[in-house]
């Protein structure tokens, strides 16, 4: 679905076909799992609804789990059925592209289907014989529905520099700022946006900070090795690509940090930082291209600070996290990549 209006109510279509040679003799469970800002109506008593803390926010997850009993909802061999009433959802104001994955399967006897914590209060949803040709089926029991809204996300690039630990060293803070109004999130772990970083002539990177978690203050930066190719971070180069790993909400930003070193003959040349659409392929409909790119330069060698750049991630660690330091060209430049991995909560 394209050009969905903000605040409008849309219908999520679904048909089921029994490709076997026997009628279904078990309960049928259909589940929709959505990320992107759709808010589903809780109107069917045999459906359980789940949603995040802020249902209207594009990063919030939502789900609908419906169970159809037997024999009233049995599907004959070769039969095609559809929902007796449409599954409807409201398009939230932060939606850019909302993705809903759906699946269907037969439940085992006494199996608990799980699902959301909110039960619908209206009549029961049923399966009815589908009219028409019934084409357009997915391969298998899983599929995806995508709703692209009439909305835009204004992503801008911002850069600040700070002194490093030693003379000639700097810390480069890079921000991908989302001025909204839509929140921008990737699909299937593919970034919605990337930041292209070209350091000035006479300046190379010596390290980066990256914390691997959804609420991490630092995003990952990779080495640019071709027009469309990247490699793991490596010190001693000028061209890097930093990916917005999960997404960035409207009014928020994603921070990246590079530690850089100036050559003695650095003459004040400028570098450039540019925000570009990412491999997720989601159109941003960016209304202001003038802030997508910005230039920066360094002055005379900075006065060293007392704290090393690596100390910020170190002081942020708590019990339950593991700090891993790996050398990256250390013999040449003393480079280090700091990665903080936090254990995810279970249960």
């Amino acid at each position: 679905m394209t050009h969905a209006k903000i605040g409008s109510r849309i219908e999520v279509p679904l048909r089921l076909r029994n490709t076997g040679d026997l009628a279904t003799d078990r309960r049928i469970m259909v589940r929709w799992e959505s990320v992107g800002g759709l808010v589903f109506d809780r109107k069917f008593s045999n459906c359980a609804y789940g949603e995040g803390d802020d249902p209207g926010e594009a990063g919030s997850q939502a789900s609908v789990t419906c169970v159809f009993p037997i024999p009233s909802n049995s599907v004959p061999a070769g039969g095609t059925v559809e929902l007796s009433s449409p599954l409807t959802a409201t398009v939230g104001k932060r939606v850019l592209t909302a993705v809903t994955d759906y699946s269907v399967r037969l439940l085992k006897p006494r199996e608990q289907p799980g699902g959301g914590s909110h039960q619908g209060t209206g009549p029961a949803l049923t399966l009815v014989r589908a009219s028409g040709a019934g084409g357009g089926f997915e391969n298998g029991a899983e599929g995806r529905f995508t709703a692209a809204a009439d909305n835009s996300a204004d992503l801008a690039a911002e850069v600040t520099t700070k002194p490093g630990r030693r003379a000639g060293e700097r810390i480069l803070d890079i921000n991908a700022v989302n001025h909204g109004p839509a929140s921008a999130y990737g699909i299937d772990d593919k970034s919605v946006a990337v930041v292209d970083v070209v350091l000035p002539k006479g300046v190379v990177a010596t390290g980066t900070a990256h914390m691997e978690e959804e609420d991490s203050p630092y995003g990952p930066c990779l080495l640019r090795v071709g027009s469309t190719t990247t490699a793991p971070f490596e010190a001693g180069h000028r061209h890097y690509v930093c990916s917005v790993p999960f997404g960035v909400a409207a009014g928020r930003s994603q921070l990246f940090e590079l530690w850089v070193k100036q050559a003695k003959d650095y003459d004040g040349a400028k570098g450039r930082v540019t925000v570009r659409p990412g491999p997720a392929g989601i159109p941003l409909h960016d209304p202001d291209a003038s802030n997508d790119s910005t230039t920066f330069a360094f002055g005379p060698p900075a006065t060293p600070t007392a704290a090393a750049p690596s100390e910020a991630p170190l002081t942020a660690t708590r019990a339950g996290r593991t700090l891993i330091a790996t050398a990256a060209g250390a013999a040449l430049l003393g480079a280090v990549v700091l990665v903080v991995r936090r254990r995810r909560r279970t249960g």
Side-chain angles (χ1 to χ4, degrees), residues 8-303:
S8 65
R9 181 171 282 107
I10 63 174
E11 296 182 357
V12 181
L14 184 72
R15 282 186 171 186
L16 305 176
R17 176 180 292 166
N18 181 358
T19 60
D21 54 8
L22 295 173
T24 58
D25 59 354
R26 296 181 183 179
R27 294 169 298 159
I28 299 172
M29 183 185 76
V30 182
R31 175 169 290 166
W32 294 264
E33 295 179 291
S34 183
V35 177
L38 294 183
V39 181
F40 290 91
D41 297 321
R42 304 176 187 174
K43 62 180 184 179
F44 300 117
S45 58
N46 59 324
C47 299
Y49 300 83
E51 56 189 27
D53 295 334
D54 187 358
E57 173 54 47
S60 182
Q61 295 184 345
S63 68
V64 182
T65 303
C66 300
V67 177
F68 301 92
I70 54 172
S72 60
N73 288 280
S74 179
V75 183
T80 300
V81 295
E82 60 188 2
L83 303 179
S84 59
S85 183
L87 187 74
T88 57
T90 300
V91 180
K93 65 180 180 179
R94 300 300 188 190
V95 172
L96 186 62
T97 296
V99 176
T100 302
D101 292 316
Y102 53 86
S103 62
V104 59
R105 68 182 181 91
L106 300 177
L107 294 174
K108 298 177 181 179
R110 296 183 296 278
E111 179 182 354
Q112 296 299 317
S117 57
H118 304 283
Q119 202 70 27
T121 56
L125 185 65
T126 61
L127 301 175
V128 298
R129 184 175 295 275
S131 59
F137 275 82
E138 303 284 347
N139 293 322
E142 298 179 350
R144 170 170 288 178
F145 172 79
T146 301
D150 276 341
N151 212 347
S152 62
D154 179 16
L155 266 64
E158 295 182 357
V159 179
T160 58
T161 63
K162 299 181 292 187
R165 183 178 59 179
R166 302 181 183 90
E169 289 185 346
R170 301 274 188 165
I171 302 173
L172 191 65
D173 281 347
I174 304 162
N175 269 294
V177 183
N178 185 1
H179 294 301
S183 295
Y185 288 87
I187 299 176
D188 296 334
D189 296 327
K190 294 181 180 179
S191 300
V192 68
V194 297
V195 182
D196 191 71
V197 183
V198 180
L199 298 174
K201 291 183 179 180
V203 178
V204 296
T206 60
T208 184
H210 175 211
M211 301 176 73
E212 292 182 339
E213 191 168 281
E214 291 190 23
D215 60 354
S216 166
Y218 301 112
C221 290
L222 304 173
L223 176 66
R224 170 74 83 180
V225 294
S227 59
T228 60
T229 308
T230 59
F233 179 88
E234 183 180 281
H237 300 272
R238 294 180 47 235
H239 200 170
Y240 295 88
V241 176
C242 305
S243 63
V244 180
F246 303 102
V248 57
R252 295 292 192 80
S253 64
Q254 174 64 63
L255 171 65
F256 307 93
E257 188 173 272
L258 289 176
W259 310 332
V260 302
K261 182 176 179 62
Q262 299 172 226
K264 293 181 179 180
D265 58 352
Y266 170 67
D267 60 2
K270 292 183 178 180
R272 180 174 291 273
V273 172
T274 306
V275 178
R276 307 184 192 278
I282 297 176
L284 302 176
H285 307 295
D286 195 323
D288 184 6
S290 65
N291 58 16
D292 293 356
S293 184
T294 186
T295 59
F296 63 95
F298 300 102
T303 302

